[in-house]
Amino acid sequence: MSDPMRPPASHHRPATASLRSDPRPRASLRTAVVWDVLQDALDRRVKATGRESLDVLDTGGGSGNFAVPVARLGHRVTVVDPSPNALFALERRAAEAGVADRVRGVQGDAHGLFDVVERGGYDVVLCHGVLEYVDDPAEGVRNVVAALRPEGVLSLLAAGLGGAVLARALAGHFKEAKQALEDPEGRWGAGDPVPRRFTAEQLTALVEGAGLRIGAVHGVRVFADLVPGVLVDTEPGALDALLQLEAAAAELPAFRSVATQLHVLGETEGAAEA
């Protein structure tokens, strides 16, 4: 896969800002890098459009881990998810956060996306944890990109191959680590709960193949899944320090190649030129 990325400018806010916005500190380890990049992208779209409220589509958004915080920033969010239970939890969560009027949940999936939402109707599209499960990742990316307006941004988050290989090896499962490394789908065996994993090059090729420019690529959970939880929970200042380490390593190719997840920010030509 080609990698024509321009040198990525840092899109990070201080990692501690994400921690303050998340009432569950340990959860921030999983979302801090993505949230900082996404919040910056939303801010830039607000400035470019001159509108304080954007239309955001969250495909596979589940119970609203990102949708509700985005709505709290003042944006209108449509969540598409195949699970009725997740959508029920989304409705409750949005109500508790006081943003029920800005969050709409509809049942559907990436394959039949335009059966339930408008084509070309969104400023920002989130596709988090979806590509691992669709039959055709390229078609999945093309579908979510088709939901963007001419000036729009895609936030894509998917399972990383390197992180799975490293995790299996550190757990002493060396044959499974080798299997994941050699398997076309990045699976370590029949019991692997994740159907497919990606390299950064594979994800950027999918995004570029759908007609977008690459704005940034980040590794997510480079260290968080490897550090014993007791250290983070009991050592004073450990959580903040780990958040800062994750932010510092996220854009470095050597570290994102072993991240549990990979985040790609794609931009339409119009958004990239704005």
Side-chain angles (χ1 to χ4, degrees), residues 23-268:
R24 302 162 301 156
R26 287 298 301 276
S28 66
L29 287 173
R30 295 177 174 269
T31 62
V33 169
V34 179
W35 176 246
D36 289 345
V37 176
L38 177 60
Q39 194 170 3
D40 185 79
L42 290 166
D43 288 348
R44 287 185 286 115
R45 292 312 308 145
V46 165
K47 292 178 182 178
T49 62
R51 292 184 282 113
E52 293 186 359
S53 182
L54 302 176
D55 294 305
V56 179
L57 174 65
D58 188 354
T59 61
S63 61
N65 287 341
F66 281 91
V68 169
V70 168
R72 290 180 67 181
L73 294 177
H75 305 300
R76 297 176 294 271
V77 187
T78 298
V79 176
V80 177
D81 196 278
S83 169
N85 290 336
L87 293 174
F88 178 77
L90 167 70
E91 183 179 357
R92 183 176 63 246
R93 191 174 196 170
E96 291 172 351
V99 295
D101 59 328
R102 294 196 294 273
V103 176
R104 179 174 72 102
V106 292
Q107 190 171 0
D109 55 32
H111 178 70
L113 188 60
F114 300 115
D115 293 336
V116 294
V117 300
E118 178 186 359
R119 185 183 296 269
Y122 298 90
D123 301 290
V124 178
V125 172
L126 281 57
C127 183
H128 295 172
V130 173
L131 290 193
E132 298 94 324
Y133 301 95
V134 299
D135 293 333
D136 185 343
E139 179 186 20
V141 174
R142 287 194 297 269
N143 272 357
V144 295
V145 168
L148 287 170
R149 288 175 173 150
E151 296 182 358
V153 173
L154 169 68
S155 173
L156 179 66
L157 181 68
L161 171 62
V165 173
L166 183 61
R168 301 315 289 175
L170 291 178
H173 303 300
F174 306 120
K175 291 183 178 179
E176 292 180 351
K178 185 172 181 290
Q179 170 69 19
L181 189 62
E182 296 175 346
D183 185 79
E185 306 295 345
R187 290 171 54 80
W188 48 256
D192 192 337
V194 179
R196 184 183 296 105
R197 294 183 178 88
F198 302 88
T199 65
E201 291 76 18
Q202 288 171 331
L203 287 179
T204 54
L206 289 172
V207 172
E208 290 173 333
L212 299 187
R213 292 179 59 179
I214 303 300
V217 182
H218 295 85
V220 179
R221 292 155 58 190
V222 177
F223 306 102
D225 291 349
L226 305 176
V227 176
V230 65
L231 294 179
V232 179
D233 293 335
T234 61
E235 290 292 326
L239 179 60
D240 282 344
L242 182 53
L243 283 165
Q244 292 168 17
L245 177 61
E246 288 280 353
E251 291 183 272
L252 301 177
F255 289 102
R256 72 183 183 220
S257 66
V258 294
T260 298
Q261 293 178 305
L262 296 166
H263 183 245
V264 177
L265 195 73
E267 302 172 330
T268 65

